[in-house]
Amino acid sequence: MTQARPGLLDFQSFLLPFPEIWKYGMLALSILLLLVALIILSCQLCRCWIPNKSENERKFARDSRKGLALQNGFQRGRIEASFLDFVQQPHYEVKMQKLRREKLHGCDGNILASERGTPDQTQGKLRFSLLYNKKHLELLLTVTGALGLPIQQCRSTFVRVRLLSWAPQTPHLQHVVHEWRTQVVKNSSNPTFEDQFVCSLREAELTKSSIKLEVKLFDKYSRHVPLGEVRIALNALNTYEHLEFCEALKKTTKDTVGEVLVSLKCLPISQRIEVGLLKVRTSSLYNSPDKCIYARINMFCNLQKQKHQKTKPRILGPMTVFNETFLFHLPERVIWDCAVLISIYEMHPSSRLLVGQAVLGKQGPMKDHWDRMMQAIQQPVAEWHPLLI
């Protein structure tokens, strides 16, 4: 008869007093936890082998900081070249074209939005009449209707009328004396408006005034798209008689109603742009202490619109001084190809009136100012830009 040795352990005494189903359950849970740990380990190994997307940005920041230590400033040539190499990539140029077409022309501005969808060749004619009442010093304008508008675009149309005038002290600038809108006519390529507008106008002001009539597509939820325009200079007409017109529509153009002095400064290390609004020059003949204007600055970058910033109200005058600066943070390294939209508004008790807008960016007629900002790192560069409406 065999006896167990006292020095040996009896493994039967270590068996857990649990049912068999509990033992198999704990075994399955252990295997599940092991699989989860293996999956996490595999993901970490994959991340170590995949190149980090932000490595180039960190390298760029390190190079910039080295330049600060070497020259007590930026190595302008290297930074500018690296940015130029980046923005000249084809896919990014496509993005900027899409930005200018969809964002910039469709943002808060009532004028820049009108460029979106403007046809290269306009179609149709506009019928209207003019009469100047010399006795009462009133100008009567009657918008009769339009003919031959594009059928595929004729959803709802209306005509916006502006009476423009030149100021003697600023002959290259205009201002809007009066602005009207006709009724909206739906689903017609030959809409009939029959709207009349009357305004007080001295006889001496006829020689420096003109009328601009824009036929537009009405859109309740978006921006109104222009189909064409007609311009009539009153100094070349005998408005003392009833004159009727049937003029062909031409492609819409902008009017310069003022100038704005803007400074730009780039801060590539902190990825910011400083926009300074210094002065605004207008040609209005009716400046008074009770009229105030303010500016709204919008920044667009990589198809993203940042939160706008506004200046404090200022009293409207021939030269309005703001001297305010605004910082815009740019989340990506596309600081040079962003676009800035400056909108000047006139304040009213219950509404606001757009005075004019200016667009600054790497593309377009204002690219010289942007290029000079790229060359003057951390130094403000100021330049006058036209306000368009």
Side-chain angles (χ1 to χ4, degrees):
M1 185 173 181
T2 59
Q3 295 181 354
R5 298 181 182 179
L8 295 177
L9 295 176
D10 187 4
F11 289 99
Q12 297 293 332
S13 62
F14 285 94
L15 293 178
L16 297 177
F18 296 120
E20 293 293 331
I21 188 172
W22 282 34
K23 297 178 181 178
Y24 290 118
M26 288 187 287
L27 178 61
L29 180 62
S30 302
I31 296 175
L32 180 61
L33 293 177
L34 177 61
L35 292 177
V36 172
L38 291 176
I39 292 174
I40 295 176
L41 179 61
S42 302
C43 293
Q44 295 295 330
L45 292 176
C46 292
R47 291 184 61 183
C48 294
W49 287 101
I50 296 177
N52 195 341
K53 295 182 180 179
S54 61
E55 181 65 27
N56 294 333
E57 297 181 3
R58 291 199 296 268
K59 181 179 179 182
F60 172 80
R62 288 196 300 268
D63 293 342
S64 301
R65 294 189 183 94
K66 290 180 181 178
L68 282 172
L70 293 174
Q71 299 183 7
N72 193 22
F74 287 91
Q75 291 184 351
R76 301 182 179 181
R78 292 174 55 191
I79 294 180
E80 180 183 354
S82 62
F83 273 118
L84 287 175
D85 293 339
F86 179 78
V87 300
Q88 288 176 355
Q89 296 178 6
H91 76 280
Y92 193 74
E93 291 297 333
V94 174
K95 283 187 177 181
M96 289 306 300
Q97 291 176 5
K98 187 177 181 182
L99 167 66
R100 294 193 303 274
R101 182 175 64 254
E102 298 181 358
K103 288 287 184 180
L104 193 55
H105 295 304
C107 62
D108 301 332
N110 295 327
I111 352 192
L112 296 182
S114 65
E115 294 182 0
R116 183 187 59 185
T118 303
D120 295 334
Q121 295 182 353
T122 58
Q123 302 178 29
K125 296 182 179 181
L126 183 64
R127 296 176 55 202
F128 60 97
S129 62
L130 287 171
L131 175 63
Y132 182 71
N133 190 330
K134 187 176 181 180
K135 181 179 179 180
H136 298 90
L137 300 181
E138 291 180 346
L139 180 67
L140 174 62
L141 168 65
T142 303
V143 182
T144 307
L147 300 173
L149 297 181
I151 300 178
Q152 65 276 13
Q153 296 182 357
C154 290
R155 301 182 295 271
S156 299
T157 56
F158 70 96
V159 179
R160 184 179 66 183
V161 183
R162 281 178 176 158
L163 178 61
L164 304 170
S165 180
W166 286 269
Q169 63 272 18
T170 54
H172 63 290
L173 301 179
Q174 300 185 75
H175 66 275
V176 180
V177 181
H178 294 285
E179 182 173 334
W180 306 282
R181 264 181 47 168
T182 66
Q183 60 178 324
V184 178
V185 178
K186 299 181 179 180
N187 303 325
S188 177
S189 60
N190 301 308
T192 301
F193 303 104
E194 296 294 347
D195 289 331
Q196 291 186 344
F197 308 101
V198 181
C199 68
S200 299
L201 193 65
R202 295 193 298 268
E203 191 172 357
E205 297 176 349
L206 288 175
T207 58
K208 53 189 178 182
S209 300
S210 63
I211 293 180
K212 178 182 178 181
L213 302 97
E214 291 180 279
V215 181
K216 291 194 167 189
L217 291 177
F218 178 80
D219 195 332
K220 182 178 179 180
Y221 303 102
S222 183
R223 302 300 178 181
H224 309 309
V225 179
L227 295 178
E229 70 171 29
V230 174
R231 289 176 182 263
I232 297 294
L234 300 182
N235 59 349
L237 300 176
N238 184 10
T239 54
Y240 304 114
E241 300 178 358
H242 186 268
L243 302 176
E244 294 186 356
F245 300 88
C246 185
E247 300 290 331
L249 296 178
K250 299 180 181 179
K251 188 175 181 180
T252 56
T253 56
K254 303 300 180 185
D255 299 288
T256 304
V257 295
E259 295 175 322
V260 57
L261 181 60
V262 182
S263 69
L264 298 176
K265 182 168 71 173
C266 59
L267 306 169
I269 292 298
S270 59
Q271 291 186 341
R272 292 185 178 184
I273 286 183
E274 182 183 276
V275 180
L277 183 63
L278 307 181
K279 299 178 181 180
V280 174
R281 179 189 297 146
T282 58
S283 62
S284 177
L285 295 175
Y286 307 102
N287 296 330
S288 60
D290 60 342
K291 285 189 176 182
C292 294
I293 61 172
Y294 72 94
R296 171 173 169 160
I297 296 93
N298 290 92
M299 176 70 69
F300 299 88
C301 182
N302 195 25
L303 298 178
Q304 298 294 327
K305 176 183 175 182
Q306 295 196 17
K307 183 179 180 181
H308 67 271
Q309 301 187 43
K310 297 191 297 185
T311 65
K312 297 179 180 179
R314 297 288 192 278
I315 297 177
L316 176 62
M319 182 71 70
T320 307
V321 180
F322 285 91
N323 286 336
E324 294 188 39
T325 58
F326 306 91
L327 282 175
F328 291 91
H329 176 70
L330 305 175
E332 298 186 12
R333 199 185 57 172
V334 290
I335 183 171
W336 305 119
D337 264 345
C338 296
V340 180
L341 173 66
I342 300 175
S343 305
I344 307 298
Y345 291 96
E346 181 179 326
M347 300 179 62
H348 293 275
S350 59
S351 62
R352 63 180 185 179
L353 177 64
L354 178 66
V355 178
Q357 292 180 316
V359 182
L360 294 77
K362 189 177 186 300
Q363 307 294 334
M366 311 304 174
K367 66 182 299 295
D368 293 338
H369 190 188
W370 205 265
D371 293 340
R372 291 199 297 125
M373 179 196 69
M374 293 171 57
Q375 299 173 3
I377 305 296
Q378 276 194 331
Q379 297 295 327
V381 179
E383 188 173 324
W384 285 97
H385 295 281
L387 283 175
L388 304 178
I389 193 171

